[in-house]
Amino acid sequence: MRLSADKFAQYTFLGIACSAIASLMLIAVFSLKEGLPFILWYGPVEFLTSTNWNPQENQFGVGAMIVASLWVTAGAMLIGAPLGVAVAVFLSEFVPRPVMRVIKPAIELLAGIPSVVYGFIGMMVLAPLIRRHLGGPGLCILSAAIVLGIMVLPTVISISVDAIGAVPNSFREGALALGATRWQAVRMVVLKAARSGIVASIILGMGRAVGETMAVIMVAGNTPRLPHGLLEPVRTLTANIAIEMSAAIGRHREALFATGVVLFVVIMGLNSLAMAVMRRKGAR
Amino acid sequence: MRIPPRQVQTLVVGMLGGATLLTLAVLVFIVVFVLDKGLPVVTWTFLAANPEDMGRAGGIFPIIVGTLLLPLLALGIALPLGVGSAVYLNEYTRETQMTRIIRFGTDCLAGIPSIIFGLFGLVFFVGILHMGWSLLSGGLTLAIMILPTIIRTSEEAIRAVPQAYREVSCSMGATRWETVRKVVLPNALPGIVTGVMLGAGRCISETAAVIFTAGTVAQMPVSAFDSVRTMAVHFYLLAREGISGENAYGTAAVLILAVLILNTVAYWTMHAFIRRKAR
């Protein structure tokens, strides 16, 4: 009786453990089922490269949005990656443990702040500053990149801190014993050993930046045209879906799901890349 | 010219410290900015009254209720699934092809942006399963979204339970299931609570996926098939459409306070947990 209960529990847990992978499959299947037929009907090349998005006239090219997502993400990483890695190095190597215990949760709190709040502050504080001092409409690539650069910090910092923490202490001691300063030990030994984890943190941060929606809608300006400078308004892939979905029917709706497929493929690519990088050096 | 390594170090550490200060300053600025503008609006009547005139006047009571119900439902679904997965991965199996696939799926799910969850919920729960824009659709969608968080934190909590506890339990003739139920889970509880708090925090911060699946109706829900509006959605609608700056700030202040409290409790339980384990 007890043993059969044990067997029953085992199979129940196995079933439950499949829930995550089952959800992932469902999401993949339904995204593709809704979006793929449209992409094939419209022509994959035309859909991905045309910069003409005009649903009223059945023009559904997402080229401009892909370029916009690239610009915004690249900008965000230029800000977020160096800043995040710098904070991670400082916290793990140059700060006493008790201080780190206070600062790390504070930084994790940054991840808890709702993205609409980031977007709102970007809209109310950052965009007017840019408009006044740099010109343009204010709601633009630069504002979006700065807001997203801040939003990816918790991801970059916490994974980098883990990676640096996983470097054995004997590595540092070896370098110090050879007469290196702490910074030389960090630069020449610790950062080299933690490299794969740090790279993975940046790739995962990139995934967050590509996928962020609400904050971007509020600060990027949302014009579906090819941008020619950092101060021009753009519409990213995510913003395109969120803005138009409520009013979309028929082909237009299918085109938005197809936009989702593009996003899904990019994100899965980035995730797999991050996992491959982490596994290669076995840094946890 | 060669700068002595000591001076280079001083310079670099100064820069790294500056980066850290900058990051903390951004956090403090956001919290202070929102609370400073929002807290004066938050009164008992604001918390307890119904919104009027699309949120221009009145309060946010049904929205607070929606913000409580949606994470509760999502956690009610995700908690058993997440803890169960973690138990299976740690107690019932070694590292096999199967566990690698499960872990890969969990990691992938964690990286998927909320807008994709929203699209999926819209097609699957709202459309195919005919649940409409409702508490139920929203709760199910958010449950999938927070599942990886729950699995990971539970796994860490379960792994932190000393192996000796299990050995003692088994040596007294307990089956594996009895060991899990009476020894492992009770000892892992504080760690699991941390996951619950973090999951709840993600749910109340979420906007895109909620709009797509739970809708935006700012009324008291009567059944699980009624649409609800959460504080994050309410704030977004008020702020973006420029309906009411004042009430937007008020809502944001309540939202930020809720997030602060959830994160602090999560951190505090985890810390207490680690201290107890270290003893």
Side-chain angles (χ1 to χ4, degrees), chain A residues 156-283:
Chain A
V156 176
I157 293 173
S158 67
I159 299 174
S160 291
V161 164
D162 286 347
I164 295 171
V167 177
N169 242 336
S170 54
F171 284 30
R172 295 180 187 87
E173 286 155 7
L176 294 177
L178 288 172
T181 62
R182 270 208 85 92
W183 166 241
Q184 282 172 328
V186 168
R187 181 167 60 91
M188 296 174 186
V189 179
V190 177
L191 284 183
K192 289 236 161 71
R195 193 176 46 199
S196 56
I198 292 174
V199 170
S201 82
I202 294 172
I203 299 173
L204 288 174
M206 212 184 273
R208 271 213 70 184
V210 174
E212 179 48 49
T213 312
M214 299 325 260
V216 174
I217 292 183
M218 293 168 97
V219 293
N222 303 324
T223 320
R225 267 200 318 254
L226 205 60
H228 296 287
L230 284 180
L231 297 177
E232 284 187 28
V234 288
R235 180 188 288 190
T236 61
L237 290 167
T238 49
N240 193 40
I241 302 171
I243 291 169
E244 300 200 354
M245 191 47 110
S246 59
I249 44 163
R251 286 283 180 215
H252 185 189
R253 190 179 140 105
E254 286 171 24
L256 295 177
F257 276 100
T259 314
V261 171
V262 176
L263 191 63
F264 186 75
V265 171
V266 171
I267 295 282
M268 289 301 275
L270 284 175
N271 282 343
S272 311
L273 189 63
M275 277 179 236
V277 169
M278 277 213 240
R279 203 165 301 139
R280 207 186 51 201
K281 286 280 291 237

Side-chain angles (χ1 to χ4, degrees), chain A:
Chain A
M1 178 60 206
R2 280 167 64 223
L3 288 178
S4 65
D6 194 43
K7 266 272 165 273
F8 178 74
Q10 176 169 359
Y11 289 120
T12 313
F13 279 126
L14 173 61
I16 287 174
C18 294
S19 59
I21 193 88
S23 311
L24 185 71
M25 304 269 250
L26 274 179
I27 292 173
V29 166
F30 281 97
S31 303
L32 291 175
K33 184 177 144 304
E34 294 292 313
L36 212 51
F38 175 87
I39 298 181
L40 295 175
W41 171 79
Y42 196 75
V45 178
E46 177 73 7
F47 178 67
L48 292 175
T49 56
S50 162
T51 55
N52 187 357
W53 176 268
N54 196 341
Q56 279 85 36
E57 287 163 26
N58 275 321
Q59 296 295 322
F60 300 109
V62 293
M65 279 87 124
I66 293 177
V67 173
S69 282
L70 281 176
W71 271 106
V72 169
T73 306
M77 294 328 289
L78 275 179
I79 298 164
L83 196 57
V85 175
V87 174
V89 170
F90 187 70
L91 288 185
S92 6
E93 297 291 330
F94 295 104
V95 145
R97 287 269 133 173
V99 181
M100 162 131 168
R101 286 226 182 90
V102 181
I103 297 181
K104 201 167 173 243
I107 283 169
E108 273 156 16
L109 196 61
L110 268 178
I113 293 175
S115 53
V116 276
V117 172
Y118 282 104
F120 183 66
I121 290 181
M123 189 169 92
M124 300 299 283
V125 180
L126 190 62
L129 273 179
I130 290 178
R131 185 165 53 225
R132 205 172 315 131
H133 296 288
L134 300 173
L139 299 174
C140 59
I141 296 180
L142 185 62
S143 319
I146 294 175
V147 169
L148 284 180
I150 294 168
M151 291 181 72
V152 300
L153 283 177
T155 310
V156 176
I157 293 173
S158 67
I159 299 174
S160 291
V161 164
D162 286 347
I164 295 171
V167 177
N169 242 336
S170 54
F171 284 30
R172 295 180 187 87
E173 286 155 7
L176 294 177
L178 288 172
T181 62
R182 270 208 85 92
W183 166 241
Q184 282 172 328
V186 168
R187 181 167 60 91
M188 296 174 186
V189 179
V190 177
L191 284 183
K192 289 236 161 71
R195 193 176 46 199
S196 56
I198 292 174
V199 170
S201 82
I202 294 172
I203 299 173
L204 288 174
M206 212 184 273
R208 271 213 70 184
V210 174
E212 179 48 49
T213 312
M214 299 325 260
V216 174
I217 292 183
M218 293 168 97
V219 293
N222 303 324
T223 320
R225 267 200 318 254
L226 205 60
H228 296 287
L230 284 180
L231 297 177
E232 284 187 28
V234 288
R235 180 188 288 190
T236 61
L237 290 167
T238 49
N240 193 40
I241 302 171
I243 291 169
E244 300 200 354
M245 191 47 110
S246 59
I249 44 163
R251 286 283 180 215
H252 185 189
R253 190 179 140 105
E254 286 171 24
L256 295 177
F257 276 100
T259 314
V261 171
V262 176
L263 191 63
F264 186 75
V265 171
V266 171
I267 295 282
M268 289 301 275
L270 284 175
N271 282 343
S272 311
L273 189 63
M275 277 179 236
V277 169
M278 277 213 240
R279 203 165 301 139
R280 207 186 51 201
K281 286 280 291 237
R284 255 162 53 95

Side-chain angles (χ1 to χ4, degrees), chain B residues 222-238:
Chain B
V222 185
S223 82
F225 291 95
D226 282 347
S227 167
V228 290
R229 181 187 284 195
T230 64
M231 286 195 281
V233 172
H234 188 61
F235 169 67
Y236 171 72
L237 294 173
L238 291 186

Side-chain angles (χ1 to χ4, degrees), chain B residues 106-187:
Chain B
T106 312
D107 285 348
C108 282
L109 206 59
I112 290 181
S114 59
I115 184 103
I116 301 273
F117 285 110
L119 282 182
F120 168 71
L122 181 65
V123 174
F124 192 66
F125 298 124
V126 177
I128 292 175
L129 298 184
H130 297 290
M131 293 175 189
W133 285 279
S134 63
L135 195 55
L136 197 56
S137 303
L140 286 164
T141 309
L142 290 182
I144 298 179
M145 196 178 84
I146 61 171
L147 189 55
T149 311
I150 306 278
I151 294 180
R152 273 188 198 161
T153 44
S154 308
E155 255 204 280
E156 267 171 43
I158 288 172
R159 233 182 262 145
V161 176
Q163 198 58 34
Y165 288 22
R166 297 180 183 89
E167 283 158 10
V168 168
S169 168
C170 287
S171 72
M172 296 202 302
T175 62
R176 192 166 278 188
W177 165 233
E178 284 162 346
T179 307
V180 166
R181 191 159 45 99
K182 294 183 182 157
V183 178
V184 176
L185 285 183
N187 279 291

Side-chain angles (χ1 to χ4, degrees), chain B residues 75 150 192-203 261-263 265-267 269:
Chain B
L75 281 167
I150 306 278
I192 295 172
V193 170
T194 303
V196 168
M197 294 296 156
L198 293 177
R202 271 207 74 183
C203 286
I261 292 169
L262 279 174
N263 274 278
V265 172
Y267 183 72
T269 35

